[in-house]
């Protein structure tokens, strides 16, 4: 293609670009995804044999309507889109997270910076992050892809060492601790759900729940563990091995494993990425219960703003730093819905 025909790419952004994530899955920008709402209408399944399957919810749309939508010019479909009012979905997303400030800090970041050296030069990912989070809070971090959310989490969990600054967890600084001391501290204090599942492949899901206790020497609470498995809707796969699970099932198994550990801090890097919208909302409710009842500090990052709830603390990262940091109100959520979400009206004839 000629260069002048590629000029449109110079104005591209995270709002109009799709990208491949670390699992080689195609991520569609939130604004595009929400405007089309196709994930509620039809799903595609490309079989290795070369056939293509289509799946849809018959309660939402019938076969003829699916064919009409797929054959309809894109510009016409856009003309039929409308905004969703907050009132229409208030019953789904309006549960308030009840947080009472105590002044008891569980996590402090002081001037934390991290970058990576590559053939293209040094890439500064996060720079001079100052942050304090109280015990029992629910914090959701958002921002464009590549802004540094995963790097920030890797620094907090001490999986990588920050170039500058200090991270203090439960009044303990990991700055001068060796690798073994850091690992044991992390095991007892932080459950980290990464974008790659945290499961030990050679054993079943049920036995995976026991693995952390082989090292921490803490008592395994089987009743609580099975309750978390049920809450994450993965109980039917307890005897399965990780490689027998789908991406969504692995995500739910990893979530149940993290919740079972009862650590003071639970960190989730896109913890609902492989889940459908109904299940994602259910998982957020479970995480809110854990934060409210056990005073677990929950910190997640996500591209999905529909996971925000009144009472949560919302931090927006941009250009490697904190752009905004606020406690979400019902009014804030209304504005987010008004700006970010639309619905594709299905044809009636």
């Amino acid at each position: 293609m000629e260069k002048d025909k590629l000029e449109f790419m110079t104005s591209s952004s995270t709002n109009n670009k799709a990208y491949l994530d670390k699992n080689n899955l195609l991520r569609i920008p939130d604004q595009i995804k929400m405007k089309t709402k196709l994930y509620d209408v039809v799903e595609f399944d490309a079989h290795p044999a070369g056939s293509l399957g289509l799946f849809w919810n018959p309660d939402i749309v019938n076969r003829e309507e699916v064919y009409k939508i797929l054959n309809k010019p894109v510009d016409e479909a856009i003309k039929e889109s409308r905004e969703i009012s907050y009132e229409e979905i208030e019953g789904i997303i309006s549960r308030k997270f009840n947080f009472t400030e105590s002044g008891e800090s569980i996590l402090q970041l002081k001037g934390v910076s991290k970058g990576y050296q590559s053939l293209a030069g040094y890439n500064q990912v996060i720079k001079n992050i100052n942050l304090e989070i109280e015990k029992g809070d629910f914090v959701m971090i958002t921002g464009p892809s590549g802004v540094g959310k995963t790097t920030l989490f890797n620094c907090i969990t001490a999986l990588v060492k920050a170039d500058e600054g200090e991270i203090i967890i439960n009044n303990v600084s990991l700055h001068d601790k060796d690798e073994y001391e850091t690992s044991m501290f992390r095991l007892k204090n932080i459950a980290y759900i990464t974008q790659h599942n945290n499961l030990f492949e050679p054993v079943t899901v049920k036995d995976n729940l026991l693995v952390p206790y082989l090292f921490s020497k803490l008592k395994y609470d089987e009743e609580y563990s099975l309750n978390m498995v049920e809450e994450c809707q993965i109980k039917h796969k307890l005897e399965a091995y990780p490689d027998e699970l789908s991406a969504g099932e692995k995500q739910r198994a990893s979530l149940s494993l993290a919740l079972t550990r009862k650590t003071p801090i639970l960190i989730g890097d896109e913890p609902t990425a492989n889940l459908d919208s109904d299940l994602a909302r259910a998982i957020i409710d479970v995480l809110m219960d854990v934060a409210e009842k056990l005073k677990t500090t929950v910190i997640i990052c996500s591209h999905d703003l529909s996971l925000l709830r009144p009472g949560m603390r919302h931090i927006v990262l941009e250009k490697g730093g904190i752009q905004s940091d606020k406690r979400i109100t019902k009014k804030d959520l209304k504005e987010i819905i008004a700006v970010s979400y639309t619905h594709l009206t299905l044809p009636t004839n």
Side-chain angles (χ1 to χ4, degrees), residues 39-40 43 248 252 272-282 304:
Y39 62 94
D40 278 347
E43 293 184 9
R252 278 144 48 201
T272 62
N274 296 310
L275 309 180
D276 63 53
S277 55
D278 289 338
L279 186 52
R281 287 192 293 267
D304 189 355

Side-chain angles (χ1 to χ4, degrees), residues 8-38:
F8 75 95
M9 294 184 69
T10 61
S11 61
S12 63
S13 69
T14 55
N15 292 330
N16 59 24
K17 285 193 300 188
Y19 68 97
L20 289 174
D21 66 13
K22 294 179 181 179
N23 296 316
N24 210 32
L25 297 174
L26 182 66
R27 295 293 184 89
I28 301 172
D30 294 335
Q31 291 187 0
I32 304 299
K33 181 179 178 183
M34 292 301 177
K35 283 182 179 178
T36 59
K37 205 71 175 180
L38 287 178

Side-chain angles (χ1 to χ4, degrees), residues 171-340:
N171 297 316
V172 175
S173 174
L174 302 181
H175 184 69
D176 296 322
K177 292 190 178 297
D178 61 30
E179 188 173 340
Y180 175 79
E181 291 174 321
T182 300
S183 296
M184 294 308 297
F185 181 86
R186 180 170 54 240
L187 180 64
K188 294 179 181 179
N189 290 275
I190 303 173
Y192 185 19
I193 308 161
T194 67
Q195 291 184 19
H196 307 286
N197 74 80
N198 304 64
L199 304 174
F200 187 49
E201 296 288 344
V203 300
T204 64
V205 172
K206 184 177 181 179
D207 288 339
N208 260 278
L209 302 175
L210 294 168
V211 170
Y213 295 89
L214 299 176
F215 301 93
S216 67
K217 298 181 181 179
L218 297 175
K219 184 179 179 181
Y220 176 59
D221 188 337
E222 184 176 7
E223 182 180 354
Y224 180 79
S225 176
L226 292 178
N227 181 53
M228 289 297 99
V229 167
E230 192 164 356
E231 292 284 356
C232 294
Q233 301 182 35
I234 197 65
K235 189 175 182 179
H236 63 295
K237 292 289 185 179
L238 278 177
E239 300 301 330
Y241 290 87
D243 61 1
E244 298 173 330
L245 305 180
S246 68
E249 289 169 342
K250 287 181 180 178
Q251 193 81 349
R252 278 144 48 201
S254 295
L255 278 163
S256 63
L257 171 59
L259 290 165
T260 294
R261 291 175 53 198
K262 294 184 181 181
T263 54
I265 299 175
L266 188 148
I267 293 179
D269 188 355
E270 299 278 0
T272 62
N274 296 310
L275 309 180
D276 63 53
S277 55
D278 289 338
L279 186 52
R281 287 192 293 267
I283 292 299
I284 290 298
D285 283 341
V286 172
L287 294 177
M288 288 171 67
D289 287 340
V290 169
E292 290 176 353
K293 296 174 183 178
L294 301 182
K295 298 304 177 185
T296 299
T297 303
V298 178
I299 310 169
I300 68 170
C301 72
S302 178
H303 288 84
D304 189 355
L305 295 177
S306 73
L307 301 179
L308 280 169
R309 301 290 182 269
M312 287 184 182
R313 183 176 173 185
H314 182 209
I315 297 175
V316 179
L317 290 186
E318 190 166 308
K319 297 180 180 178
I322 296 177
Q323 182 194 50
S324 65
D325 182 352
K326 65 187 300 186
R327 186 74 56 186
I328 289 292
T329 65
K330 184 175 179 180
K331 181 181 178 182
D332 294 327
L333 202 54
K334 280 186 175 183
E335 292 174 354
I336 290 170
I337 296 302
V339 171
S340 303

Side-chain angles (χ1 to χ4, degrees), residues 47-82:
H47 192 272
S51 59
L52 179 67
L54 299 178
F55 303 89
W56 60 85
N57 187 341
D59 296 330
I60 298 176
V61 60
N62 61 37
R63 182 189 300 268
E64 289 71 26
E65 288 172 333
V66 169
Y67 289 155
K68 286 181 181 179
I69 292 171
L70 294 176
N71 289 312
K72 203 171 189 66
V74 175
D75 57 346
E76 290 185 30
I78 291 175
K79 289 177 183 177
E80 294 185 1
S81 66
R82 67 176 176 85

